[in-house]
PDB file of all heavy atoms in Angstrom:
ATOM      1  N   LEU A   1      -2.741  -3.118 -17.515  1.00 95.00           N
ATOM      2  CA  LEU A   1      -3.067  -2.678 -16.155  1.00 95.00           C
ATOM      3  C   LEU A   1      -1.904  -2.932 -15.207  1.00 95.00           C
ATOM      4  O   LEU A   1      -1.597  -2.106 -14.341  1.00 95.00           O
ATOM      5  CB  LEU A   1      -4.328  -3.381 -15.659  1.00 95.00           C
ATOM      6  CG  LEU A   1      -5.617  -2.946 -16.350  1.00 95.00           C
ATOM      7  CD1 LEU A   1      -6.750  -3.913 -16.035  1.00 95.00           C
ATOM      8  CD2 LEU A   1      -5.991  -1.524 -15.949  1.00 95.00           C
ATOM      9  N   TYR A   2      -1.240  -4.067 -15.368  1.00 93.00           N
ATOM     10  CA  TYR A   2      -0.077  -4.372 -14.526  1.00 93.00           C
ATOM     11  C   TYR A   2       1.032  -3.351 -14.778  1.00 93.00           C
ATOM     12  O   TYR A   2       1.641  -2.841 -13.832  1.00 93.00           O
ATOM     13  CB  TYR A   2       0.428  -5.795 -14.804  1.00 93.00           C
ATOM     14  CG  TYR A   2       1.679  -6.126 -14.026  1.00 93.00           C
ATOM     15  CD1 TYR A   2       1.646  -6.289 -12.638  1.00 93.00           C
ATOM     16  CD2 TYR A   2       2.904  -6.256 -14.667  1.00 93.00           C
ATOM     17  CE1 TYR A   2       2.792  -6.577 -11.928  1.00 93.00           C
ATOM     18  CE2 TYR A   2       4.044  -6.554 -13.955  1.00 93.00           C
ATOM     19  CZ  TYR A   2       3.989  -6.709 -12.588  1.00 93.00           C
ATOM     20  OH  TYR A   2       5.133  -6.990 -11.876  1.00 93.00           O
ATOM     21  N   SER A   3       1.265  -3.039 -16.021  1.00 93.00           N
ATOM     22  CA  SER A   3       2.277  -2.042 -16.361  1.00 93.00           C
ATOM     23  C   SER A   3       1.924  -0.684 -15.748  1.00 93.00           C
ATOM     24  O   SER A   3       2.789   0.013 -15.200  1.00 93.00           O
ATOM     25  CB  SER A   3       2.395  -1.921 -17.877  1.00 93.00           C
ATOM     26  OG  SER A   3       3.363  -0.970 -18.219  1.00 93.00           O
ATOM     27  N   GLU A   4       0.651  -0.326 -15.824  1.00 91.00           N
ATOM     28  CA  GLU A   4       0.196   0.933 -15.219  1.00 91.00           C
ATOM     29  C   GLU A   4       0.432   0.916 -13.710  1.00 91.00           C
ATOM     30  O   GLU A   4       0.851   1.904 -13.117  1.00 91.00           O
ATOM     31  CB  GLU A   4      -1.292   1.140 -15.526  1.00 91.00           C
ATOM     32  CG  GLU A   4      -1.876   2.420 -14.988  1.00 91.00           C
ATOM     33  CD  GLU A   4      -1.469   3.655 -15.778  1.00 91.00           C
ATOM     34  OE1 GLU A   4      -1.031   3.519 -16.937  1.00 91.00           O
ATOM     35  OE2 GLU A   4      -1.581   4.760 -15.213  1.00 91.00           O
ATOM     36  N   TRP A   5       0.162  -0.228 -13.090  1.00 88.00           N
ATOM     37  CA  TRP A   5       0.377  -0.381 -11.641  1.00 88.00           C
ATOM     38  C   TRP A   5       1.844  -0.127 -11.300  1.00 88.00           C
ATOM     39  O   TRP A   5       2.158   0.557 -10.342  1.00 88.00           O
ATOM     40  CB  TRP A   5      -0.044  -1.777 -11.184  1.00 88.00           C
ATOM     41  CG  TRP A   5       0.404  -2.062  -9.785  1.00 88.00           C
ATOM     42  CD1 TRP A   5       1.482  -2.795  -9.395  1.00 88.00           C
ATOM     43  CD2 TRP A   5      -0.192  -1.581  -8.579  1.00 88.00           C
ATOM     44  NE1 TRP A   5       1.582  -2.804  -8.026  1.00 88.00           N
ATOM     45  CE2 TRP A   5       0.569  -2.067  -7.504  1.00 88.00           C
ATOM     46  CE3 TRP A   5      -1.301  -0.781  -8.306  1.00 88.00           C
ATOM     47  CZ2 TRP A   5       0.263  -1.793  -6.180  1.00 88.00           C
ATOM     48  CZ3 TRP A   5      -1.608  -0.503  -6.982  1.00 88.00           C
ATOM     49  CH2 TRP A   5      -0.834  -1.006  -5.944  1.00 88.00           C
ATOM     50  N   LEU A   6       2.745  -0.687 -12.098  1.00 87.00           N
ATOM     51  CA  LEU A   6       4.178  -0.527 -11.825  1.00 87.00           C
ATOM     52  C   LEU A   6       4.613   0.927 -11.904  1.00 87.00           C
ATOM     53  O   LEU A   6       5.571   1.327 -11.241  1.00 87.00           O
ATOM     54  CB  LEU A   6       5.002  -1.371 -12.803  1.00 87.00           C
ATOM     55  CG  LEU A   6       4.899  -2.878 -12.623  1.00 87.00           C
ATOM     56  CD1 LEU A   6       5.696  -3.589 -13.710  1.00 87.00           C
ATOM     57  CD2 LEU A   6       5.364  -3.317 -11.239  1.00 87.00           C
ATOM     58  N   HIS A   7       3.910   1.719 -12.707  1.00 86.00           N
ATOM     59  CA  HIS A   7       4.271   3.127 -12.871  1.00 86.00           C
ATOM     60  C   HIS A   7       3.402   4.063 -12.030  1.00 86.00           C
ATOM     61  O   HIS A   7       3.536   5.278 -12.121  1.00 86.00           O
ATOM     62  CB  HIS A   7       4.198   3.508 -14.357  1.00 86.00           C
ATOM     63  CG  HIS A   7       5.190   2.753 -15.170  1.00 86.00           C
ATOM     64  ND1 HIS A   7       4.855   1.609 -15.865  1.00 86.00           N
ATOM     65  CD2 HIS A   7       6.514   2.929 -15.356  1.00 86.00           C
ATOM     66  CE1 HIS A   7       5.930   1.136 -16.450  1.00 86.00           C
ATOM     67  NE2 HIS A   7       6.948   1.906 -16.165  1.00 86.00           N
ATOM     68  N   ASN A   8       2.530   3.488 -11.230  1.00 81.00           N
ATOM     69  CA  ASN A   8       1.640   4.264 -10.372  1.00 81.00           C
ATOM     70  C   ASN A   8       2.439   4.831  -9.201  1.00 81.00           C
ATOM     71  O   ASN A   8       3.348   4.200  -8.695  1.00 81.00           O
ATOM     72  CB  ASN A   8       0.526   3.337  -9.866  1.00 81.00           C
ATOM     73  CG  ASN A   8      -0.621   4.082  -9.245  1.00 81.00           C
ATOM     74  OD1 ASN A   8      -0.450   5.131  -8.655  1.00 81.00           O
ATOM     75  ND2 ASN A   8      -1.802   3.519  -9.364  1.00 81.00           N
ATOM     76  N   ASP A   9       2.069   6.011  -8.747  1.00 72.00           N
ATOM     77  CA  ASP A   9       2.759   6.627  -7.616  1.00 72.00           C
ATOM     78  C   ASP A   9       2.482   5.915  -6.302  1.00 72.00           C
ATOM     79  O   ASP A   9       3.300   5.942  -5.400  1.00 72.00           O
ATOM     80  CB  ASP A   9       2.359   8.106  -7.477  1.00 72.00           C
ATOM     81  CG  ASP A   9       2.979   8.965  -8.558  1.00 72.00           C
ATOM     82  OD1 ASP A   9       3.981   8.540  -9.159  1.00 72.00           O
ATOM     83  OD2 ASP A   9       2.468  10.067  -8.800  1.00 72.00           O
ATOM     84  N   MET A  10       1.331   5.293  -6.181  1.00 73.00           N
ATOM     85  CA  MET A  10       0.999   4.599  -4.940  1.00 73.00           C
ATOM     86  C   MET A  10       1.514   3.167  -5.027  1.00 73.00           C
ATOM     87  O   MET A  10       1.232   2.452  -5.969  1.00 73.00           O
ATOM     88  CB  MET A  10      -0.508   4.576  -4.705  1.00 73.00           C
ATOM     89  CG  MET A  10      -0.896   3.860  -3.446  1.00 73.00           C
ATOM     90  SD  MET A  10      -2.630   4.109  -3.100  1.00 73.00           S
ATOM     91  CE  MET A  10      -2.582   4.068  -1.343  1.00 73.00           C
ATOM     92  N   SER A  11       2.283   2.777  -4.065  1.00 74.00           N
ATOM     93  CA  SER A  11       2.837   1.431  -4.109  1.00 74.00           C
ATOM     94  C   SER A  11       2.049   0.501  -3.191  1.00 74.00           C
ATOM     95  O   SER A  11       1.371   0.928  -2.264  1.00 74.00           O
ATOM     96  CB  SER A  11       4.306   1.439  -3.692  1.00 74.00           C
ATOM     97  OG  SER A  11       4.424   1.547  -2.294  1.00 74.00           O
ATOM     98  N   TYR A  12       2.203  -0.754  -3.470  1.00 75.00           N
ATOM     99  CA  TYR A  12       1.593  -1.793  -2.640  1.00 75.00           C
ATOM    100  C   TYR A  12       2.140  -1.696  -1.220  1.00 75.00           C
ATOM    101  O   TYR A  12       1.414  -1.849  -0.255  1.00 75.00           O
ATOM    102  CB  TYR A  12       1.920  -3.144  -3.268  1.00 75.00           C
ATOM    103  CG  TYR A  12       1.003  -4.273  -2.899  1.00 75.00           C
ATOM    104  CD1 TYR A  12      -0.338  -4.241  -3.229  1.00 75.00           C
ATOM    105  CD2 TYR A  12       1.490  -5.388  -2.238  1.00 75.00           C
ATOM    106  CE1 TYR A  12      -1.186  -5.282  -2.924  1.00 75.00           C
ATOM    107  CE2 TYR A  12       0.652  -6.444  -1.920  1.00 75.00           C
ATOM    108  CZ  TYR A  12      -0.684  -6.390  -2.265  1.00 75.00           C
ATOM    109  OH  TYR A  12      -1.505  -7.425  -1.952  1.00 75.00           O
ATOM    110  N   ASN A  13       3.440  -1.381  -1.123  1.00 78.00           N
ATOM    111  CA  ASN A  13       4.050  -1.232   0.193  1.00 78.00           C
ATOM    112  C   ASN A  13       3.428  -0.088   0.978  1.00 78.00           C
ATOM    113  O   ASN A  13       3.263  -0.182   2.197  1.00 78.00           O
ATOM    114  CB  ASN A  13       5.565  -1.045   0.074  1.00 78.00           C
ATOM    115  CG  ASN A  13       6.267  -2.316  -0.297  1.00 78.00           C
ATOM    116  OD1 ASN A  13       5.788  -3.408  -0.001  1.00 78.00           O
ATOM    117  ND2 ASN A  13       7.398  -2.201  -0.952  1.00 78.00           N
ATOM    118  N   ASP A  14       3.073   1.000   0.292  1.00 82.00           N
ATOM    119  CA  ASP A  14       2.393   2.108   0.965  1.00 82.00           C
ATOM    120  C   ASP A  14       1.059   1.634   1.552  1.00 82.00           C
ATOM    121  O   ASP A  14       0.704   1.984   2.679  1.00 82.00           O
ATOM    122  CB  ASP A  14       2.125   3.271   0.002  1.00 82.00           C
ATOM    123  CG  ASP A  14       3.392   3.998  -0.416  1.00 82.00           C
ATOM    124  OD1 ASP A  14       4.408   3.899   0.299  1.00 82.00           O
ATOM    125  OD2 ASP A  14       3.352   4.666  -1.475  1.00 82.00           O
ATOM    126  N   MET A  15       0.340   0.824   0.773  1.00 82.00           N
ATOM    127  CA  MET A  15      -0.945   0.309   1.264  1.00 82.00           C
ATOM    128  C   MET A  15      -0.736  -0.644   2.436  1.00 82.00           C
ATOM    129  O   MET A  15      -1.496  -0.637   3.397  1.00 82.00           O
ATOM    130  CB  MET A  15      -1.709  -0.365   0.131  1.00 82.00           C
ATOM    131  CG  MET A  15      -2.144   0.615  -0.935  1.00 82.00           C
ATOM    132  SD  MET A  15      -3.235  -0.031  -2.238  1.00 82.00           S
ATOM    133  CE  MET A  15      -2.612  -1.632  -2.584  1.00 82.00           C
ATOM    134  N   LEU A  16       0.294  -1.479   2.364  1.00 79.00           N
ATOM    135  CA  LEU A  16       0.591  -2.388   3.475  1.00 79.00           C
ATOM    136  C   LEU A  16       0.952  -1.611   4.731  1.00 79.00           C
ATOM    137  O   LEU A  16       0.455  -1.925   5.827  1.00 79.00           O
ATOM    138  CB  LEU A  16       1.729  -3.338   3.103  1.00 79.00           C
ATOM    139  CG  LEU A  16       1.424  -4.386   2.053  1.00 79.00           C
ATOM    140  CD1 LEU A  16       2.691  -5.138   1.674  1.00 79.00           C
ATOM    141  CD2 LEU A  16       0.350  -5.347   2.518  1.00 79.00           C
ATOM    142  N   ARG A  17       1.820  -0.593   4.589  1.00 84.00           N
ATOM    143  CA  ARG A  17       2.195   0.221   5.752  1.00 84.00           C
ATOM    144  C   ARG A  17       0.982   0.920   6.350  1.00 84.00           C
ATOM    145  O   ARG A  17       0.832   0.989   7.567  1.00 84.00           O
ATOM    146  CB  ARG A  17       3.264   1.233   5.355  1.00 84.00           C
ATOM    147  CG  ARG A  17       4.656   0.624   5.242  1.00 84.00           C
ATOM    148  CD  ARG A  17       5.740   1.689   5.071  1.00 84.00           C
ATOM    149  NE  ARG A  17       5.742   2.280   3.745  1.00 84.00           N
ATOM    150  CZ  ARG A  17       6.379   1.776   2.701  1.00 84.00           C
ATOM    151  NH1 ARG A  17       7.056   0.670   2.818  1.00 84.00           N
ATOM    152  NH2 ARG A  17       6.337   2.385   1.538  1.00 84.00           N
ATOM    153  N   ALA A  18       0.086   1.423   5.500  1.00 86.00           N
ATOM    154  CA  ALA A  18      -1.127   2.084   5.995  1.00 86.00           C
ATOM    155  C   ALA A  18      -2.011   1.094   6.744  1.00 86.00           C
ATOM    156  O   ALA A  18      -2.576   1.417   7.797  1.00 86.00           O
ATOM    157  CB  ALA A  18      -1.896   2.723   4.835  1.00 86.00           C
ATOM    158  N   THR A  19      -2.106  -0.117   6.240  1.00 88.00           N
ATOM    159  CA  THR A  19      -2.902  -1.156   6.907  1.00 88.00           C
ATOM    160  C   THR A  19      -2.307  -1.492   8.269  1.00 88.00           C
ATOM    161  O   THR A  19      -3.030  -1.602   9.270  1.00 88.00           O
ATOM    162  CB  THR A  19      -2.970  -2.421   6.024  1.00 88.00           C
ATOM    163  OG1 THR A  19      -3.606  -2.081   4.795  1.00 88.00           O
ATOM    164  CG2 THR A  19      -3.726  -3.540   6.713  1.00 88.00           C
ATOM    165  N   ILE A  20      -1.001  -1.654   8.316  1.00 88.00           N
ATOM    166  CA  ILE A  20      -0.327  -1.966   9.585  1.00 88.00           C
ATOM    167  C   ILE A  20      -0.530  -0.829  10.576  1.00 88.00           C
ATOM    168  O   ILE A  20      -0.856  -1.055  11.749  1.00 88.00           O
ATOM    169  CB  ILE A  20       1.167  -2.242   9.345  1.00 88.00           C
ATOM    170  CG1 ILE A  20       1.329  -3.544   8.554  1.00 88.00           C
ATOM    171  CG2 ILE A  20       1.941  -2.294  10.660  1.00 88.00           C
ATOM    172  CD1 ILE A  20       2.720  -3.753   7.970  1.00 88.00           C
ATOM    173  N   LYS A  21      -0.355   0.401  10.107  1.00 89.00           N
ATOM    174  CA  LYS A  21      -0.522   1.568  10.978  1.00 89.00           C
ATOM    175  C   LYS A  21      -1.952   1.659  11.509  1.00 89.00           C
ATOM    176  O   LYS A  21      -2.174   1.888  12.701  1.00 89.00           O
ATOM    177  CB  LYS A  21      -0.147   2.844  10.206  1.00 89.00           C
ATOM    178  CG  LYS A  21      -0.279   4.112  10.998  1.00 89.00           C
ATOM    179  CD  LYS A  21       0.771   4.218  12.061  1.00 89.00           C
ATOM    180  CE  LYS A  21       0.737   5.592  12.701  1.00 89.00           C
ATOM    181  NZ  LYS A  21       1.472   5.639  13.940  1.00 89.00           N
ATOM    182  N   ASP A  22      -2.946   1.459  10.634  1.00 91.00           N
ATOM    183  CA  ASP A  22      -4.348   1.511  11.052  1.00 91.00           C
ATOM    184  C   ASP A  22      -4.649   0.455  12.113  1.00 91.00           C
ATOM    185  O   ASP A  22      -5.310   0.735  13.114  1.00 91.00           O
ATOM    186  CB  ASP A  22      -5.287   1.316   9.861  1.00 91.00           C
ATOM    187  CG  ASP A  22      -5.278   2.497   8.902  1.00 91.00           C
ATOM    188  OD1 ASP A  22      -4.753   3.572   9.259  1.00 91.00           O
ATOM    189  OD2 ASP A  22      -5.792   2.328   7.774  1.00 91.00           O
ATOM    190  N   ARG A  23      -4.165  -0.768  11.889  1.00 91.00           N
ATOM    191  CA  ARG A  23      -4.446  -1.844  12.847  1.00 91.00           C
ATOM    192  C   ARG A  23      -3.699  -1.623  14.152  1.00 91.00           C
ATOM    193  O   ARG A  23      -4.225  -1.884  15.241  1.00 91.00           O
ATOM    194  CB  ARG A  23      -4.074  -3.210  12.256  1.00 91.00           C
ATOM    195  CG  ARG A  23      -4.446  -4.356  13.173  1.00 91.00           C
ATOM    196  CD  ARG A  23      -5.972  -4.354  13.447  1.00 91.00           C
ATOM    197  NE  ARG A  23      -6.333  -5.350  14.414  1.00 91.00           N
ATOM    198  CZ  ARG A  23      -6.780  -5.093  15.650  1.00 91.00           C
ATOM    199  NH1 ARG A  23      -6.940  -3.848  16.061  1.00 91.00           N
ATOM    200  NH2 ARG A  23      -7.091  -6.070  16.464  1.00 91.00           N
ATOM    201  N   ALA A  24      -2.468  -1.107  14.082  1.00 90.00           N
ATOM    202  CA  ALA A  24      -1.711  -0.816  15.302  1.00 90.00           C
ATOM    203  C   ALA A  24      -2.409   0.262  16.125  1.00 90.00           C
ATOM    204  O   ALA A  24      -2.504   0.159  17.351  1.00 90.00           O
ATOM    205  CB  ALA A  24      -0.285  -0.388  14.953  1.00 90.00           C
ATOM    206  N   THR A  25      -2.932   1.262  15.449  1.00 91.00           N
ATOM    207  CA  THR A  25      -3.654   2.340  16.141  1.00 91.00           C
ATOM    208  C   THR A  25      -4.882   1.788  16.862  1.00 91.00           C
ATOM    209  O   THR A  25      -5.136   2.123  18.026  1.00 91.00           O
ATOM    210  CB  THR A  25      -4.056   3.444  15.142  1.00 91.00           C
ATOM    211  OG1 THR A  25      -2.867   3.976  14.553  1.00 91.00           O
ATOM    212  CG2 THR A  25      -4.838   4.554  15.816  1.00 91.00           C
ATOM    213  N   SER A  26      -5.647   0.937  16.186  1.00 90.00           N
ATOM    214  CA  SER A  26      -6.835   0.370  16.838  1.00 90.00           C
ATOM    215  C   SER A  26      -6.432  -0.602  17.947  1.00 90.00           C
ATOM    216  O   SER A  26      -7.111  -0.690  18.970  1.00 90.00           O
ATOM    217  CB  SER A  26      -7.765  -0.297  15.814  1.00 90.00           C
ATOM    218  OG  SER A  26      -7.148  -1.384  15.191  1.00 90.00           O
ATOM    219  N   ALA A  27      -5.320  -1.308  17.785  1.00 89.00           N
ATOM    220  CA  ALA A  27      -4.848  -2.217  18.838  1.00 89.00           C
ATOM    221  C   ALA A  27      -4.442  -1.429  20.083  1.00 89.00           C
ATOM    222  O   ALA A  27      -4.688  -1.872  21.217  1.00 89.00           O
ATOM    223  CB  ALA A  27      -3.680  -3.064  18.337  1.00 89.00           C
ATOM    224  N   VAL A  28      -3.838  -0.261  19.892  1.00 91.00           N
ATOM    225  CA  VAL A  28      -3.477   0.599  21.029  1.00 91.00           C
ATOM    226  C   VAL A  28      -4.742   1.046  21.748  1.00 91.00           C
ATOM    227  O   VAL A  28      -4.813   1.014  22.988  1.00 91.00           O
ATOM    228  CB  VAL A  28      -2.633   1.810  20.559  1.00 91.00           C
ATOM    229  CG1 VAL A  28      -2.516   2.865  21.657  1.00 91.00           C
ATOM    230  CG2 VAL A  28      -1.256   1.357  20.097  1.00 91.00           C
TER     231      VAL A  28
END
């Protein structure tokens, strides 16, 4: 599963950026 994660198109960083963007939008 870890190996599959490493080869997945969606990265952890993408999820982090989406989380930051969502929270920034609600904070605005």
